[in-house]
Amino acid sequence: MATTVKGLKGVIQVPGDKSISHRSVMFGAIAEGTTTISGFLPGDDCLSTISCFQKLGVDIQMVNEETVIVKGRGIKGLKEPVDILDVGNSGTTIRLIMGILANTLHHHTLIGDESIAKRPMKRVTGPLREMGINLDGRQDANFTPLVIRGGKAKGIQYHSPVASAQVKSAVLLAGLQAEGTTSVTEPEKSRDHTERMLEAFGVQVKEDGLTVSIEGGQTLKGTHVEVPGDISSAAFFLVAGSIVPNSRIELKKIGINPTRTGILDALKKMGAAINTIAANREAAEPFADLVVETSSLKGTEIGGDLIPRLIDEIPIIALAATQAEGTTVIKDAAELKVKETNRIDTVVNELTKMGANIEATEDGMVIHGGTRLHGAQVNSYGDHRIGMMLAVASCIAEGETVIENRDAVSVSYPQFFNHLDLLKS
Ligand code: SPQ
């Protein structure tokens, strides 16, 4: 990609939120009646979710790229698939679907790509086994291929060792048909789309501090889901607009669910000029228009309960920190090691190739700011968020940057490079 950019200017509508798009299809599939989805993200991960539920007998039509109609089969109506369920690169699909399939007595084999084969599944298969569900897989059900035959779940009170929306969601979804009450307690609050969306589908969910509970035997009713823009995708432009000189970017209808807005808190603390120009905070999933302009950033410390609120944005925050004055310390983020890649290592290795002064730690990284980046041959290693972070880095790097495996961005943001080019012109 070309040499330093003179400024990024314009208005962008980033695609729909990935977490909400997955759940809209999944919950629509097990609801009674029809669910219509607008603003759906047609990224590879969400298309994997559609394809899995089609194999489970659900009629899902894409009216156009962003409008989907799901004809729900009810919670007991999924068919036994004649084929394996392939989740591609999507951790959300494989972990949540296990919760949904837990109470069927059907046979299912779940696989994914090379990255999924390395991601730990015991965090979900463990509690599901505790609930009485029959599951198996490589290394005692920790890795794909996984086989789930289901069973009749008993409610459990599960204390999760990690703050993970995927673990919480899988256990709660299994709890929907379990005997009695199922609850999940987390060390910190993870994103709460499952709780908010189950309520929109007519399910009662109770929250008490860090514990979420669900009563077994509830059914879902089809509804309309309006998916806001994905703040994790907007994050790349929030940082690009902050660090590329002479920039002003307006981002339309971005989801601002408080469990996802850690990126706004962190960037504002670093001195970023981000303003909200219109907001709907009453919607089940609140959203706002945001404007970012170039500013001088300073280093900061990021850790504790902020981490689950910005976990997917850490690669792009690390890039912002290379341009900040002073040092940025990111800690309590060991979860980064079990994402699409080990995101501590990939961020550190790839940004080092571009001249950043950055070190990996056991649970995060330390970034010494104020460095001039230079073009280099870098690699996304198939991780969409690394590919987009490197593309933003190339905008401030002197000389040419070549990003291998840049197509990985289609997992969550298929039009990313077009949008970046639009802002450059
Ligand atoms: O779906 P996948 O592959 O796990 O995607 C990622 C991402 O960067 O897009 C993580 F690699 O997002 C997860 C996120 O990190 C999506 C998610 C969800 O929709 O519930 C929750 C988070 O994961 P976790 O493990 O903390 O529950």
Side-chain angles (χ1 to χ4, degrees), residues 18-19 23 92 119 164-166 312 339-340 343 385:
K18 178 159 78 67
S19 296
R23 287 161 173 81
T92 308
R119 295 180 70 182
S164 159
Q166 295 176 356
D312 297 339
K339 299 294 182 185
E340 284 82 330
R343 285 181 178 161
R385 302 212 188 274

Side-chain angles (χ1 to χ4, degrees), residues 18-20 22-23 45 89-93 95-96 116 119 123 163-167 169 190-191 193 311-312 335 338-340 343 383-385 411-412:
K18 178 159 78 67
S19 296
I20 299 174
H22 280 303
R23 287 161 173 81
D45 271 13
N89 189 245
S90 178
T92 308
T93 310
R95 295 198 176 116
L96 269 60
I116 282 290
R119 295 180 70 182
R123 52 180 57 201
S164 159
Q166 295 176 356
V167 171
S169 303
S190 64
R191 63 190 68 188
H193 303 298
I311 186 75
D312 297 339
E335 275 292 295
V338 291
K339 299 294 182 185
E340 284 82 330
R343 285 181 178 161
D383 186 331
H384 52 135
R385 302 212 188 274
V411 157
S412 61

Side-chain angles (χ1 to χ4, degrees), residues 111 144 206 273 405:
I111 61 153
T144 55
K206 275 198 207 125
N405 295 307

Side-chain angles (χ1 to χ4, degrees), residues 380-418:
S380 79
Y381 293 100
D383 186 331
H384 52 135
R385 302 212 188 274
I386 301 296
M388 289 186 272
M389 180 274 285
L390 293 169
V392 175
S394 77
C395 295
I396 52 162
E398 239 163 75
E400 204 186 36
T401 299
V402 177
I403 306 172
E404 287 176 59
N405 295 307
R406 62 178 233 155
D407 292 350
V409 304
S410 64
V411 157
S412 61
Y413 199 160
Q415 322 91 308
F416 175 75
F417 287 107
N418 294 343

Side-chain angles (χ1 to χ4, degrees), residues 5-66:
V5 169
K6 306 273 177 279
L8 295 172
K9 287 198 164 55
V11 182
I12 294 289
Q13 168 82 66
V14 305
D17 186 278
K18 178 159 78 67
S19 296
I20 299 174
S21 295
H22 280 303
R23 287 161 173 81
S24 61
V25 169
M26 293 178 176
F27 299 173
I30 57 169
E32 279 156 19
T34 300
T35 291
T36 52
I37 309 164
S38 57
F40 182 77
L41 163 65
D44 296 346
D45 271 13
C46 299
L47 298 178
S48 294
T49 290
I50 290 189
S51 135
C52 288
F53 280 88
Q54 286 172 330
K55 287 184 182 170
L56 292 161
V58 185
D59 179 354
I60 305 174
Q61 304 291 337
M62 291 196 72
V63 179
N64 56 49
E65 283 227 309
E66 294 176 2

Side-chain angles (χ1 to χ4, degrees), residues 30 33 62 84 95 103 125 221 247 280-281 294 329 416:
I30 57 169
M62 291 196 72
I84 52 173
R95 295 198 176 116
N103 282 282
T125 58
K221 282 191 190 56
S247 296
N280 179 343
R281 297 181 202 278
T294 311
V329 177
F416 175 75

